[in-house]
Amino acid sequence: MTIDPPVSEADEPAEQGERPEQAERTEQAEEASASGKRRRRVRVTLPGCWGALVLACLSFTPSLLPRGGVLQGLICGISAAIGYGLGLVAAFVWRAFADRDARSPSRRSWLVLLGCAVVLFGLAFALGQYWQQRIRGLMGVTDHSALATAASPFVALLVFYLLLMAGRGLRRLYHWAARLLGRRIGPRAARVVGWVLVAGVAWSLVSGVLLGGFVNAANEAFGVRDTQTPEGVQRPTSVLRSGGPGSLVPWDSLGRQGRAFTGSGPTAAEIGAFTRRTAQEPVRAYAGLSTAEDAETRAERAVADLRRAGGFERENLLVMTTTGSGWVDPAAVDSFEYLGNGDSATVAMQYSYLPSWLSYLVDQSKAREAGRELFDAVYDVWSKLPQDERPRLFVAGESLGSFGGEAAFSGEYDLRNRTAGTLFAGPPNFNTLFREFSDHRDAGTPEIEPVYKEGRTVRFTDDPVTGIPPADRAWDGTRVLYLMHPSDPIVWWSPALALSEPDWIGEAPGKDVLEEMVWMPFVTFWQVTADLPFSTGVPDGHGHTYKAAYVDGWNAAMRPEGFTAQDLEKLRGIVSPPQD
């Protein structure tokens, strides 16, 4: 690939609004020129290059999580391609208002661009590495590849080139469609209809053929993985676990994550060693995708097995909505069981084969259905028990699990009236109740740690060890607690980031987010989007990693007696062992 910079803006025919017959002649001339032995060159325009340079430099500004070299190159390339397009649009609009045609830029103009590109890109690259080092320091991240960092500009160039060629391919498709339509309808109508057809084809390919094919392939691949059992997990020998002796749910139907859930967890002896009391073995019930064909039947089977194992006879009962492939964070349930001295039961079920980040994009409706069906099935049995014989009913979910967990409730009063406590961690930004509570927060409270209705029922915290605001208000009755880190992209990602600045960026940053992070149209959106797949690749207490926080979160929601600050610190070390 060679780039031939000294060309006129007029070499971009799509920007001139020419008639289809003119476009045909231009295209024929280009094809005739290309038929020779000369190598085809990539033509670029000066305004487009300025736009690409500006957004490429801005892509090095800090985001929520530390970025490796390859990821930075990807973001830089995408941002440069967007900048190139914006530059073309800006030039076209300016020429329209100035009422003049495009002019060929001088050689001096290209030299100025080249000089500015070297200086500005070099400065942005250096500042980017400085900011990344500071982010890694805030989170205690030590892994860093200097080779990948050095490769990031080349990755960016490759991504930019591929996107540029894709855009020009769509433009050629538009010219071809407009030319054919122009033989039957007017030229203006041909151009409009041509763009509509091309946009429709592009959207169909992305959302239908490509995305649909990718999701189907992923379903098949992860469906095969779902038949496997994690290393070290054995079929339970206890009647208190699904898949064990007498279980109504076969072990083979639990799925990979279901077998990990019921085949692990603290024993009565381990719990007793922590509480220094005689403990019980917890009940764990689960239904996998293979257990039944629809969510309602799976929920009924899981609850039936919960009842068989005596789950409704325990003091504490937890309804846990899983994430993606059916995963339940061991720290969430283990903490619940330790603080309940084993006198507890947990029920969960699987609704997808896909991992959490992919389910986050395509399985939201399944998460909502699973959360609602499972809680309703549990509540139907629980509500018919005598009041003095009912267990305390809790609800929990992490990430997409919190989205599904919320689906069973209409609002604050419903949560307070039908549960004894709720703990949601890392709620996605599109969660209905989370958005309601956050958007209607008390005046003067920040979005990263809002206060809703003076904290009478619902509260938020990034670290329950340091306190749950408002500290000066009573928190009686049912407690609903949201755990959310300032650096968690799952919590803050939204399509609205592309064009509008959210409150959480304009406010004072959280403890693990740089003050230098600012909002920029398009750039911030792609930065936070790129953070999503790597949100759990940071130490506990940052990003989308919630482990030790479950200890103090459940301590606040359950209010168990007899545990000191030293006990809680010890339990944090059990559920989230220090990394070597």
Side-chain angles (χ1 to χ4, degrees):
M1 178 188 74
T2 60
I3 296 180
D4 187 13
V7 304
S8 167
E9 297 169 35
D11 285 325
E12 292 285 346
E15 300 304 317
Q16 304 307 310
E18 69 269 37
R19 297 166 60 89
E21 56 268 23
Q22 293 173 323
E24 183 176 4
R25 289 195 297 269
T26 302
E27 191 167 308
Q28 288 173 349
E30 289 179 353
E31 290 175 355
S33 176
S35 63
K37 296 181 179 180
R38 291 172 50 191
R39 239 163 105 182
R40 182 183 294 274
R41 297 184 176 183
V42 178
R43 296 180 180 273
V44 292
T45 68
L46 188 64
C49 288
W50 274 111
L53 173 61
V54 171
L55 261 69
C57 291
L58 292 177
S59 72
F60 286 95
T61 55
S63 182
L64 295 173
L65 300 177
R67 298 193 293 262
V70 174
L71 181 59
Q72 177 60 66
L74 178 65
I75 297 172
C76 184
I78 293 175
S79 299
I82 294 173
Y84 187 87
L86 292 176
L88 293 181
V89 172
F92 176 79
V93 172
W94 185 85
R95 289 196 302 269
F97 277 96
D99 193 23
R100 73 166 184 81
D101 295 329
R103 301 172 184 171
S104 298
S106 65
R107 184 177 183 84
R108 180 181 177 183
S109 298
W110 286 106
L111 291 176
V112 170
L113 171 66
L114 181 61
C116 290
V118 172
V119 174
L120 293 178
F121 191 86
L123 181 62
F125 183 84
L127 283 173
Q129 304 319 305
Y130 167 71
W131 286 322
Q132 291 302 310
Q133 182 180 10
R134 288 180 56 195
I135 296 175
R136 290 194 294 270
L138 287 176
M139 299 186 180
V141 176
T142 57
D143 294 338
H144 175 61
S145 172
L147 181 61
T149 299
S152 62
F154 302 98
V155 174
L157 183 62
L158 176 61
V159 171
F160 172 73
Y161 172 75
L162 293 176
L163 292 176
L164 184 65
M165 292 300 101
R168 291 184 174 179
L170 290 175
R171 189 187 68 189
R172 293 189 183 96
L173 181 61
Y174 153 70
H175 285 316
W176 175 78
R179 186 170 63 248
L180 290 182
L181 291 168
R183 297 171 182 172
R184 293 173 175 82
I185 60 178
R188 292 183 179 179
R191 289 195 293 271
V192 173
V193 175
W195 272 120
V196 171
L197 288 176
V198 170
V201 170
W203 175 254
S204 299
L205 287 174
V206 173
S207 63
V209 178
L210 297 181
L211 181 59
F214 174 71
V215 171
N216 290 335
N219 252 318
E220 292 183 7
F222 288 104
V224 173
R225 187 173 184 267
D226 197 58
T227 62
Q228 303 170 355
T229 301
E231 185 177 355
V233 173
Q234 300 293 329
R235 181 176 181 178
T237 57
S238 171
V239 297
L240 304 179
R241 303 293 178 97
S242 291
S247 174
L248 303 178
V249 182
W251 170 254
D252 292 340
S253 76
L254 292 177
R256 177 183 175 87
Q257 301 299 344
R259 288 190 285 273
F261 173 68
T262 64
S264 62
T267 64
E270 291 170 334
I271 295 174
F274 165 72
T275 62
R276 299 180 295 276
R277 289 176 280 170
T278 302
Q280 299 185 54
E281 181 181 349
V283 173
R284 291 191 176 189
Y286 193 96
L289 272 177
S290 299
T291 303
E293 292 187 359
D294 60 272
E296 182 179 359
T297 307
R298 281 197 302 274
E300 291 173 352
R301 293 285 297 276
V303 173
D305 206 40
L306 174 70
R307 194 170 193 174
R308 172 203 61 82
F312 288 95
E313 300 168 11
R314 297 302 178 97
E315 180 181 354
N316 303 299
L317 173 57
L318 173 61
V319 180
M320 189 85 186
T321 307
T322 65
T323 65
S325 59
W327 179 74
V328 176
D329 192 337
V333 180
D334 291 358
S335 300
F336 182 80
E337 293 172 343
Y338 273 107
L339 293 175
N341 196 38
D343 192 4
S344 62
T346 303
V347 59
M349 74 176 192
Q350 182 185 15
Y351 56 83
S352 175
Y353 290 130
L354 303 177
S356 185
W357 68 270
L358 190 51
S359 294
Y360 177 78
L361 298 176
V362 300
D363 274 350
Q364 295 179 21
S365 60
K366 292 182 180 180
R368 182 189 293 110
E369 181 186 26
R372 184 175 56 250
E373 294 289 355
L374 182 59
F375 181 83
D376 287 350
V378 171
Y379 190 80
D380 182 60
V381 176
W382 179 88
S383 61
K384 295 174 182 176
L385 298 174
Q387 288 193 5
D388 58 348
E389 296 180 11
R390 295 174 183 171
R392 295 197 298 166
L393 183 58
F394 295 90
V395 174
E398 179 176 330
S399 189
L400 202 56
S402 71
F403 173 75
E406 283 188 358
F409 305 94
S410 60
E412 175 196 6
Y413 285 105
D414 202 18
L415 282 164
R416 185 166 65 190
N417 293 335
R418 293 205 292 163
T419 72
T422 301
L423 184 60
F424 290 137
N429 196 263
F430 54 74
N431 275 23
T432 304
L433 297 186
F434 170 65
R435 283 266 47 94
E436 177 185 335
F437 301 146
S438 181
D439 292 343
H440 296 88
R441 62 188 180 275
D442 295 351
T445 61
E447 189 175 13
I448 62 171
E449 202 167 42
V451 174
Y452 179 75
K453 302 291 186 181
E454 298 185 337
R456 63 188 183 189
T457 302
V458 181
R459 298 196 178 189
F460 304 80
T461 183
D462 65 332
D463 185 1
V465 177
T466 60
I468 303 173
D472 59 342
R473 292 287 189 273
W475 199 10
D476 301 323
T478 295
R479 294 183 173 185
V480 177
L481 180 60
Y482 283 87
L483 303 174
M484 41 191 247
H485 296 145
S487 57
D488 187 352
I490 300 293
V491 176
W492 309 118
W493 182 88
S494 168
L497 274 173
L499 296 174
S500 61
E501 179 181 6
D503 292 343
W504 60 270
I505 291 184
E507 299 166 346
K511 62 184 180 181
D512 56 356
V513 176
L514 290 183
E515 292 184 3
E516 289 83 352
M517 182 179 179
V518 295
W519 175 81
M520 292 168 288
F522 301 108
V523 175
T524 301
F525 171 78
W526 284 114
Q527 287 178 327
V528 178
T529 300
D531 286 336
L532 291 175
F534 308 97
S535 58
T536 59
V538 290
D540 188 18
H542 305 284
H544 198 59
T545 306
Y546 300 86
K547 294 188 181 301
Y550 277 115
V551 173
D552 296 272
W554 276 125
N555 185 59
M558 296 173 68
R559 287 170 281 187
E561 298 180 354
F563 295 106
T564 66
Q566 290 74 20
D567 292 331
L568 297 179
E569 182 178 1
K570 178 181 177 181
L571 184 55
R572 287 194 291 271
I574 294 174
V575 301
S576 180
Q579 299 296 318
D580 296 333

